[in-house]
Structure formats: C-alpha cells, structure tokens
Amino acid sequence: MAHQLMLGQSQQAGWFIEGSAEYIATVPYQQTRMLVSHHQKSVIDYLTAYGWNGQGGRNLGRNLKLARLESLMNPDYATFQKQPNAYASALLLYYYFMKFDGKKDGAALAAYVGELQYGRPEFVAREKLLAGRSYAELEKQMAAAWNQVGIRLTFE
C-alpha cells in the first residue's frame, strides 16, 4: 500500500519510502481490524524476533547496529538499499519520528511530507526532521527513545 501511494515520488529518500512501508506492514491485522494499540509491540517483535504471532520478522535481536543517520538519510534509493540493516533502520527511524520525537505526534514527519508535496527538494524537507539538530544529536535522541523500550541502537 505504501509503495503504491509513493509511486513516482523519486525525490523521496529511500529510508522514507521503505520506512513507511515497513511501518504499515507491522501494524497487526486480525479479522478485518488493524490493531494499532499493539503496534509498538509488533514493531519490536518484528525487529527482534519472528514478528507478530511468529509471522515474518527480521530476528535481529535487541542490540542493533545501524549506519550513521547522515548516511542513511542522505543517499539515493540504490545507495540506501546497500546500508547495513537498511529496512530495519528505516522502520526504526520512521517509527521514531511518528511516535517518539518531539510531542510524539508525528508533526516533524508531517512537515517533511508537506515540504515534499510543495515540491521542495528532499534535502530542504529533511531540515523539518532535523529541527535544528545535528545528525549526532538525532542519533542520541533516537537511541535513548528506543532504549526505553528495550532496543539498544549503535550507529557506525
């Protein structure tokens, strides 16, 4: 569904395209209902083990090594795909902006999308996500947020 909505949006970064797809894919679905109240647990199960009710999952454990955010957020789609744990990283980053960042309301991500919709270059839109932070500061904040739910991130 996410890929269909973004078809032809070539200026969008790979982490954003794949992060939104992974985000949607990890919402538990049961008997025609999306169980959004279980989403965080589902994301954690998907990343660390074999997914919601043992369905799918990346089985990466609770200590994840990710590429530095500057390299993850900057490259084109083909380069993004070559990053270590690219899809898991994209999900962690997208979920962070949706549920952990700022007022925990996804506002920065919505502002990023708004900039893209207005035709602004991706690197300009990305400033809405950084919100004056360096990539190193964002890494620290993201690692601290995920650590609170039992996921340890290191960036290298």
Side-chain angles (χ1 to χ4, degrees), residues 5-66:
L5 292 172
M6 292 186 196
L7 192 63
Q9 301 298 316
S10 59
Q11 80 166 14
Q12 293 176 358
W15 77 267
F16 177 72
I17 293 169
E18 295 305 335
S20 63
E22 296 276 292
Y23 183 88
I24 291 169
T26 56
V27 175
Y29 183 82
Q30 188 174 48
Q31 297 177 347
T32 71
R33 290 185 14 215
M34 295 182 90
L35 307 174
V36 293
S37 62
H38 295 65
H39 194 202
Q40 185 177 83
K41 181 182 180 337
S42 177
V43 167
I44 292 169
D45 289 349
Y46 177 78
L47 290 167
T48 63
Y50 293 103
W52 180 259
N53 290 333
Q55 305 287 318
R58 298 205 175 268
N59 195 30
L60 297 172
R62 292 190 172 269
N63 298 309
L64 284 82
K65 292 181 181 178
L66 310 178

Side-chain angles (χ1 to χ4, degrees), residues 1 5 27 36 48-49 69 73 84-85 98-99 113 115 122 137 140:
M1 180 170 55
L5 292 172
V27 175
V36 293
T48 63
L69 290 183
M73 294 174 79
N85 294 321
M98 286 293 291
K99 301 292 184 176
V113 171
E115 291 292 301
E122 193 283 329
E137 290 169 326
K140 286 179 185 175

Side-chain angles (χ1 to χ4, degrees), residues 136-147:
E137 290 169 326
L138 179 57
E139 288 172 0
K140 286 179 185 175
Q141 291 171 3
M142 185 176 159
W146 279 106
N147 192 50

Side-chain angles (χ1 to χ4, degrees), residues 71-128:
S71 65
L72 181 72
M73 294 174 79
N74 280 317
D76 61 33
Y77 192 84
T79 305
F80 158 78
Q81 290 180 306
K82 295 176 186 170
Q83 300 285 346
N85 294 321
Y87 291 83
S89 300
L91 173 58
L92 287 159
L93 185 57
Y94 193 94
Y95 193 94
Y96 171 79
F97 283 124
M98 286 293 291
K99 301 292 184 176
F100 294 138
D101 190 36
K103 295 180 181 176
K104 302 178 181 182
D105 59 0
L109 195 58
Y112 170 80
V113 171
E115 291 292 301
L116 294 174
Q117 288 175 331
Y118 284 118
R120 308 256 187 342
E122 193 283 329
F123 73 90
V124 172
R126 193 176 328 123
E127 291 302 317
K128 297 293 185 180

